[in-house]
Each structure stands twice: as C-alpha cells, then as structure tokens.
C-alpha cells in the first residue's frame, strides 16, 4: 500500500497513462499528468518533480508494493508497459498466494473455534473477511 494518498494518485495516474498505447509517454508527460491529477483531486498546485516520478516508476517496478510493473523505456525516451494488458489495479494473486490465504482462513477458523477474547475475535473476523474478499476478486 502506498505511503500516502498523493503517492497512490501518482501511481494510478502513471498506470492510466502507460495503459494508453496511443500516446508516447515521456517523463515530462508523466510529470504533467501527475501534476494535473493531484491538482484535480487534491487542489495541490505546486507540481511534481521528475525525480519523484522516476522514484514512483522504480517503486512500481519493484516488489515492495507487489506491483512488479513491467515498465520499459523505448527509444531512450518513452515509457510504456511491456505487457499492454498490465495494470496495477489488475494484479492477480499467484497460486502460492491463494494457497497461503486459504491456510490463513483455516487457521483463523481454528482460533475462532477454540474461543478467543472478544477483541481478538473481532480482529480475526475482519481479517477473515478481507482474505475471503481477496480470494474472490484476486
């Protein structure tokens, strides 16, 4: 999960731009798109630096947020997804993740069956619901 709302807005804006294969996206174009999005959504008018967008792209490419975005640079200037069908919002969970989530749900159910404190029980119920949601939509 991104550290803050502004970072999430930038990631989603970069994602939307790179999914648009009808435009060749330069770093300056991505900076402008992110600056416009932040102004439209949050009223932030100060703009974004190139370095911030470069850091965002590196973060999206990495495993830190689980995106593993296949962002490539072509013609030494333009950015795009190597996989035209990729989107950070469509990242599916892997088979191993699916199995781990199923195991987590089973463990939670066992804890509930053994009786836990009310506070822990509420927390486990929320975690279980979230895991089931991930499995349903993942």
């Amino acid at each position: 999960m991104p550290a803050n709302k502004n970072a999430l807005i930038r990631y989603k804006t970069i994602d939307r731009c790179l999914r648009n294969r009808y435009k060749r996206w330069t770093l300056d174009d991505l900076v402008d798109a992110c600056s416009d999005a932040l102004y439209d959504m949050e009223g932030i008018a100060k703009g974004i630096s190139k370095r911030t967008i470069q850091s965002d792209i590196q973060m999206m490419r990495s495993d830190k947020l689980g995106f593993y975005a296949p962002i490539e640079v072509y013609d030494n200037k333009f950015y795009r997804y190597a996989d035209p069908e990729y989107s950070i919002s469509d990242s599916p969970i892997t088979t191993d993740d699916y199995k781990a989530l199923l195991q987590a749900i089973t463990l939670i159910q066992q804890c509930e069956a053994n009786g836990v404190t009310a506070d822990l029980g509420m927390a486990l119920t929320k975690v279980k619901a979230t895991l089931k949601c991930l499995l349903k939509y993942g």
Side-chain angles (χ1 to χ4, degrees):
M1 180 70 72
N4 63 48
K5 183 171 44 170
N6 294 343
L8 181 58
I9 291 169
R10 293 192 313 269
Y11 299 152
K12 287 186 173 213
T13 301
I14 292 168
D15 179 62
R16 188 181 68 248
C17 291
L18 298 182
R19 290 191 57 155
N20 178 357
R21 300 289 252 192
Y22 298 105
K23 179 168 174 50
R24 293 167 51 123
W25 295 96
T26 65
L27 185 59
D28 287 332
D29 293 331
L30 295 173
V31 167
D32 291 342
C34 289
S35 294
D36 291 346
L38 283 171
Y39 179 76
D40 291 344
M41 293 182 186
E42 297 296 314
I44 298 172
K46 77 174 190 161
I48 304 296
S49 71
K50 286 183 181 182
R51 182 68 193 120
T52 297
I53 300 304
Q54 289 171 324
S55 294
D56 289 346
I57 289 170
Q58 288 305 98
M59 184 64 73
M60 291 171 69
R61 284 176 172 155
S62 77
D63 63 341
K64 289 182 181 176
L65 298 175
F67 293 148
Y68 302 97
I71 300 171
E72 66 180 5
V73 178
Y74 64 102
D75 294 340
N76 292 321
K77 184 176 183 178
F78 302 105
Y79 292 82
R80 68 178 173 204
Y81 284 136
D83 175 3
E85 300 300 315
Y86 180 84
S87 174
I88 62 171
S89 59
D90 294 340
S91 296
I93 61 172
T94 66
T95 303
D96 290 339
D97 292 340
Y98 181 81
K99 290 176 183 176
L101 290 172
L102 286 177
Q103 287 177 337
I105 290 172
T106 302
L107 288 172
I108 289 170
Q109 289 169 335
Q110 290 171 359
C111 288
E112 289 174 337
N114 291 332
V116 293
T117 65
D119 290 342
L120 182 56
M122 291 291 289
L124 289 175
T125 301
K126 289 178 184 178
V127 169
K128 184 170 131 183
T130 301
L131 292 175
K132 283 185 176 182
C133 189
L134 285 171
L135 291 175
K136 182 177 180 182
Y137 298 110

